[in-house]
Amino acid sequence: MKLLLFFILIISLPSFAKINHDDPKWLKLLRYQKGLTGYTSEVDSKEFFFHKEGKTNPDKELNATLNAFSEKENRCRFPARAIILDRAQNLEIDCPEYKKFIDKVNLKSVSLIFSSYFIEKPASAFGHTFFRLRSKDSGKYNNELLDYGVDYSAQVTTNNPLLYGIYGIIGGFKGNFKMMPYYYKVREYNDTESRDLWDYELNFNEDDLRLFMAHLYEMNQAYFDYFYFTENCSYHILEFVDAIRPDWKLMEDLDLFVPPVQTIYALFKEKNIVRDVNFRPSLYKNIEYRLKSLNTDEKSTFEKLVEDKIKLEQTDNVKVIDAYSDYLDFKYSPFFTQKNSPEYAEFNDKKYDVNLKRSQIEQESETLSFEGEKKMAPEKGHETKRIRIAPFYRDHKIGGEFEYRFSFHDFMDKKAGFIPFSSTEMGRIETNFYDDKFRLDNFTVVSVDAIRPLSELSNSLSWRFSFGLRDYRPTIKQEYAPFVDISLGQAVSFGNFAMALFLRAENSYWGTFDRDLRIGLGPEILVIYNNDQWSMKINFKRLHFYSQLDRYRSLLELEMRYHVSKNAGISVGYERETSFDDKYVTNFYWHF
Amino acid sequence: MKKMLALTAGIMMSGSVMAAHGPAGCGLGSILFKGKDGLVFNVLAATFNGTSGNQTFGMSTGTLGCEDAKTATVAAVSFIDNNKVALSNDIARGEGQTLDAYLTLIKADTANKMALKKNFSKIFVKGHTSQEIHSAISNVIKL
């Protein structure tokens, strides 16, 4: 009997197991990174550590934590640490505040949400990730709007856009995790920014879910210096998952620079990490699909409604009215956050009228199916770094090009997972070997092509933009000049085809001639074709240069590329440029 | 080390930051800079998207931050505040996820949605506040 009592006493006392300070669970939970000088935690708040050297010393922090944990209050502040040090501890009974938090969320599963790119809002070119915490009752009623969203973002402390930019890059803001009703996230991304939400449900077991909640609770006391390019939202979200499941090794192949989609790719490295993929359409997708479901007559009625040529009373067609209603939501979405603007008032009036009309018709609305979207889901996309090796033939000589691209996607790459007809490239270095000489051809810092075809929904201008450093006299001696090229125009598209007409301006700064600034102006035509296997482009431009060397220059480029696999392609190309011989080229591409 | 690298990367890329809409990230920078036009603002809003919080969603009922979505009338009113358009679409159509979520929130899952649809004009009177809409819905479904 005594023995039994003793035994009960032993198991009921919190007894903290000594784990090694280099246990991955410990290191990842406290965000320690191994550097040249030893460990440093990415967490920058002092309250997060029990030992004053805790930020740089996982061993001392572990011992200090074990000491501090003799007090219940400390265990309750850091429930995840308590769990990994002593799995038997029942924190939910011991810590009322923590229990309230657990009960409120009532967690059933965790999803990593990717809000995708959307060409109409180039701000979204790289995507964004955050968590959805699905609650048990939401699972029952499918009321996902009542779930919680958790994101990592910086606390902005300035309205000065320049400081805003600088702070974002050098770590001048404090970043932390925030929790909010999931509907905030839906309204923010689906509606206001019209971005699709991809929902990747993580394969967490009960223990994982418990640790997740505990860790979220303790992260409430942590902040990090925010770094836009490296320690950004997606990096911290993925690190969070990594802390819960170190065995998934999510961070292992991650680069220093983290485009959010790379964190999605990391989830698919192994088959068992993502349990389910779901899609939540943006306002744009909704209206796009509604329009597709209209026949010619209905479409013409819809157009008349949009152009105010007929009144709402003149139609009772539910499909048309629903399309018109969705169209209003999309069209006025930029004003959703400007409640005092005249546009918002106009939207409110129109919305009221169309919904009043709709409420008087009994018929059910058509249910749209977005299953087809999954074929082009973000995780299907190629890797974002690329190299190209290209033997070419020009003027009876063989040469070779070598290109390295740091990031991200251009419209000739395989299109799955990315915005059709658009490019966002950073850090592209092109070199060539020709005529026994090796030279740097150009270094393009950024290159963006936003080809935005005209449609019922949009009449935005299309544009191309790039800047960097270029060798301007490839046949004579090497002469580098910084350049900024801009094209502005209109595009149309039919299925897999897009065609754009631009006015192009090429500007470069030469320090060596009488006139330092060299400006070229002229028309440009771009034709693109993309299907799942093939990409093709025809690009022609003719520029008139305003400099002491006043002259015209024309350039015709053709390329046809075959996508051998997701991350490899081969192509043939032809180039004809004023005062050069024709060039024939074969390209081999690898994404990695 | 990481900070050094980030700084280097930052300096390398700051050109790109000034230049393109493209390489932006995450969040709602575009909202933060709402109403300010011009390339610089657009670009910064685009590029530093990820650095904004959700402060712009702090609406009239004080729903900033970790507002509790699931309890009390204030949550129902704040739900309407933030989902007004979608809710009015759903009530006009007599169905939809936003309506379902709202009914769950006020613990009226079994309410007659067709009755709400029929009474659309009583619920969404022009100029009414979220509180008034909430009361009107409650009246229709006789809470």
Side-chain angles (χ1 to χ4, degrees):
Chain A
M1 187 63 194
K2 257 187 187 167
L3 194 68
L4 184 66
L5 268 178
F6 177 72
F7 189 63
I8 288 170
L9 197 68
I10 291 272
I11 59 162
S12 62
L13 268 177
S15 61
F16 290 96
K18 171 84 171 152
I19 60 170
N20 285 330
H21 76 272
D22 55 0
D23 188 310
K25 274 191 222 138
W26 178 254
L27 295 174
K28 283 175 186 285
L29 210 57
L30 280 83
R31 301 291 191 277
Y32 286 111
Q33 296 283 344
K34 199 167 189 173
L36 296 174
T37 54
Y39 287 105
T40 310
S41 170
E42 287 165 354
V43 178
D44 294 301
S45 43
K46 288 193 178 65
E47 313 80 63
F48 195 71
F49 303 99
F50 285 108
H51 196 278
K52 62 180 192 313
E53 290 170 38
K55 186 174 162 70
T56 49
N57 194 325
D59 192 21
K60 284 184 178 165
E61 179 59 22
L62 178 63
N63 288 324
T65 304
L66 288 168
N67 282 336
F69 272 12
S70 59
E71 283 170 44
K72 193 181 105 180
E73 184 203 326
N74 289 332
R75 297 197 295 275
C76 292
R77 272 181 62 210
F78 293 99
R81 286 187 215 183
I83 287 174
I84 67 161
L85 294 174
D86 169 33
R87 301 201 71 85
Q89 169 123 29
N90 198 338
L91 293 149
E92 289 172 37
I93 293 166
D94 257 17
C95 311
E97 277 300 309
Y98 177 58
K99 185 179 186 322
K100 236 167 75 186
F101 174 70
I102 299 290
D103 289 347
K104 187 167 88 169
V105 176
N106 197 10
L107 189 65
K108 184 193 180 200
S109 66
V110 176
S111 294
L112 202 148
I113 308 286
F114 179 73
S115 86
S116 64
Y117 334 101
F118 177 53
I119 191 63
E120 282 305 310
K121 313 247 167 151
S124 65
F126 274 163
H128 174 47
T129 57
F130 51 93
F131 288 124
R132 172 158 80 102
L133 312 186
R134 182 152 218 183
S135 83
K136 284 177 182 141
D137 34 317
S138 141
K140 201 156 91 198
Y141 298 104
N142 197 24
N143 281 331
E144 69 171 3
L145 290 177
L146 299 180
D147 292 340
Y148 286 97
V150 171
D151 71 1
Y152 175 80
S153 56
Q155 302 164 14
V156 176
T157 49
T158 174
N159 280 327
N160 179 324
L162 193 65
L163 283 179
Y164 187 55
I166 293 169
Y167 284 171
I169 293 171
I170 65 165
F173 294 125
K174 290 175 180 175
N176 59 0
F177 289 92
K178 292 192 188 76
M179 189 168 102
M180 68 221 70
Y182 186 58
Y183 63 69
Y184 278 169
K185 289 299 186 196
V186 169
R187 298 301 161 225
E188 178 182 350
Y189 292 105
N190 266 179
D191 300 355
T192 310
E193 299 187 0
S194 210
R195 295 158 73 161
D196 299 329
L197 294 179
W198 290 91
D199 181 303
Y200 299 99
E201 190 182 316
L202 301 171
N203 197 7
F204 280 160
N205 59 34
E206 284 302 316
D207 282 346
D208 298 337
L209 291 176
R210 182 161 172 253
L211 187 61
F212 184 93
M213 286 310 290
H215 191 42
L216 184 59
Y217 188 80
E218 67 186 21
M219 285 318 263
N220 198 25
Q221 298 152 75
Y223 69 76
F224 306 79
D225 294 336
Y226 190 98
F227 295 93
Y228 177 72
F229 289 106
T230 53
E231 282 187 44
N232 58 22
C233 50
S234 290
Y235 175 83
H236 278 289
I237 291 288
L238 197 70
E239 254 200 343
F240 197 117
V241 182
D242 188 50
I244 307 301
R245 287 298 296 259
D247 58 314
W248 285 347
K249 300 184 169 51
L250 294 171
M251 307 301 288
E252 253 177 24
D253 302 330
L254 221 57
D255 279 333
L256 177 70
F257 173 68
V258 192
V261 74
Q262 287 302 150
T263 67
I264 300 298
Y265 295 165
L267 301 179
F268 286 85
K269 273 197 321 194
E270 285 177 44
K271 273 192 186 128
N272 64 339
I273 298 177
V274 173
R275 192 188 284 160
D276 198 11
V277 182
N278 277 298
F279 176 76
R280 193 182 169 96
S282 62
L283 281 180
Y284 182 83
K285 272 280 152 41
N286 253 311
I287 177 63
E288 194 184 45
Y289 273 65
R290 285 242 184 263
L291 290 181
K292 268 190 215 161
S293 78
L294 302 183
N295 64 32
T296 320
D297 279 355
E298 289 165 340
K299 211 165 214 169
S300 128
T301 317
F302 167 82
E303 275 159 17
K304 282 178 196 148
L305 266 179
V306 167
E307 290 159 15
D308 275 330
K309 283 183 185 150
I310 58 167
K311 297 252 174 283
L312 269 167
E313 292 82 57
Q314 290 168 261
T315 178
D316 279 323
N317 186 319
V318 165
K319 285 171 87 176
V320 172
I321 291 171
D322 283 346
Y324 179 62
S325 177
D326 286 0
Y327 166 82
L328 290 178
D329 290 349
F330 171 72
K331 185 187 166 197
Y332 288 94
S333 62
F335 305 102
F336 284 177
T337 52
Q338 302 176 32
K339 308 268 176 202
N340 295 322
S341 66
E343 288 88 353
Y344 187 75
E346 185 181 304
F347 167 66
N348 258 337
D349 283 349
K350 287 188 172 173
K351 192 85 240 189
Y352 179 80
D353 293 343
V354 68
N355 277 344
L356 181 63
K357 168 86 185 172
R358 179 68 187 86
S359 73
Q360 290 155 356
I361 307 170
E362 278 203 10
Q363 198 186 329
E364 278 183 19
S365 294
E366 190 178 29
T367 312
L368 303 171
S369 165
F370 295 94
E371 276 305 303
E373 291 294 320
K374 289 195 179 169
K375 214 173 64 182
M376 299 294 275
E379 78 272 13
K380 307 264 200 292
H382 58 74
E383 294 287 338
T384 55
K385 277 184 294 186
R386 190 181 78 184
I387 52 173
R388 174 173 70 91
I389 295 170
F392 67 87
Y393 176 82
R394 176 175 254 172
D395 190 23
H396 308 290
K397 281 185 223 115
I398 303 277
E401 289 174 13
F402 177 80
E403 178 201 275
Y404 170 79
R405 183 184 73 191
F406 180 64
S407 175
F408 178 65
H409 172 77
D410 79 48
F411 58 68
M412 291 292 283
D413 290 334
K414 199 167 164 64
K415 66 177 181 176
F418 294 89
I419 307 172
F421 313 125
S422 77
S423 310
T424 306
E425 291 185 287
M426 291 170 84
R428 195 179 63 219
I429 298 166
E430 287 178 280
T431 59
N432 67 59
F433 184 80
Y434 183 67
D435 216 4
D436 293 332
K437 279 189 223 57
F438 181 80
R439 41 209 307 167
L440 172 68
D441 193 35
N442 78 72
F443 170 54
T444 303
V445 180
V446 164
S447 169
V448 177
D449 304 311
I451 311 299
R452 308 192 285 176
L454 294 169
S455 72
E456 288 114 324
L457 302 174
S458 148
N459 56 359
S460 312
L461 283 178
S462 294
W463 48 273
R464 313 185 78 181
F465 176 92
S466 59
F467 86 94
L469 208 60
R470 187 182 285 155
D471 183 359
Y472 268 86
R473 300 199 291 176
T475 50
I476 324 169
K477 61 169 190 171
Q478 280 190 296
E479 194 85 60
Y480 292 102
F483 70 91
V484 179
D485 296 342
I486 301 166
S487 303
L488 265 182
Q490 289 283 16
V492 289
S493 84
F494 317 93
N496 291 330
F497 265 109
M499 196 182 106
L501 192 63
F502 297 104
L503 179 65
R504 181 168 182 83
E506 292 192 357
N507 315 282
S508 57
Y509 181 83
W510 297 31
T512 49
F513 287 92
D514 297 348
R515 283 192 216 171
D516 290 343
L517 192 63
R518 196 173 113 103
I519 301 172
L521 265 183
E524 176 179 18
I525 296 168
L526 178 65
V527 178
I528 305 171
Y529 174 82
N530 283 145
N531 69 21
D532 293 341
Q533 282 305 310
W534 292 92
S535 299
M536 188 201 79
K537 81 165 173 194
I538 303 170
N539 195 186
F540 174 77
K541 55 195 178 194
R542 182 172 171 81
L543 297 164
H544 178 248
F545 283 92
Y546 301 86
S547 70
Q548 89 281 22
L549 299 167
D550 270 2
R551 64 182 178 111
Y552 285 98
R553 187 169 72 86
S554 300
L555 175 67
L556 172 69
E557 287 173 291
L558 310 176
E559 189 187 342
M560 199 158 172
R561 193 182 305 182
Y562 177 72
H563 307 292
V564 178
S565 71
K566 186 163 84 172
N567 287 316
I570 50 173
S571 85
V572 286
Y574 167 78
E575 218 178 283
R576 173 166 211 156
E577 188 174 359
T578 309
S579 69
F580 286 96
D581 289 304
D582 293 0
K583 178 174 156 190
Y584 303 86
V585 59
T586 313
N587 298 282
F588 299 89
Y589 297 89
W590 285 276
H591 295 267
F592 61 103
Chain B
M1 185 63 187
K2 174 156 253 163
K3 281 178 197 180
M4 274 302 293
L5 283 169
L7 185 63
T8 320
I11 290 166
M12 251 177 64
M13 310 259 179
S14 58
S16 76
V17 164
M18 304 311 291
H21 281 78
C26 21
L28 60 154
S30 48
I31 296 172
L32 191 78
F33 287 102
K34 68 186 175 191
K36 292 185 177 176
D37 278 328
L39 186 68
V40 173
F41 286 102
N42 283 333
V43 166
L44 284 167
T47 311
F48 289 100
N49 241 328
T51 56
S52 77
N54 293 280
Q55 61 272 50
T56 42
F57 283 85
M59 298 184 184
S60 54
T61 47
T63 55
L64 199 66
C66 302
E67 152 77 15
D68 194 326
K70 287 183 204 166
T71 49
T73 311
V74 65
V77 173
S78 115
F79 182 90
I80 296 178
D81 234 17
N82 291 293
N83 297 281
K84 212 181 268 176
V85 176
L87 187 66
S88 102
N89 290 343
D90 283 4
I91 289 181
R93 290 172 191 178
E95 61 182 352
Q97 203 184 39
T98 309
L99 179 56
D100 289 346
Y102 172 74
L103 291 176
T104 303
L105 193 59
I106 60 168
K107 299 191 167 45
D109 294 281
T110 54
N112 183 350
K113 293 179 206 168
M114 286 305 136
L116 291 171
K117 178 176 164 132
K118 280 206 185 80
N119 287 285
F120 183 91
S121 62
K122 281 188 196 147
I123 295 167
F124 292 97
V125 180
K126 274 183 193 175
H128 268 194
T129 62
S130 300
Q131 177 67 55
E132 286 165 314
I133 294 168
H134 175 64
S135 306
I137 295 177
S138 305
N139 282 336
V140 172
I141 59 179
K142 306 269 186 306
L143 262 183

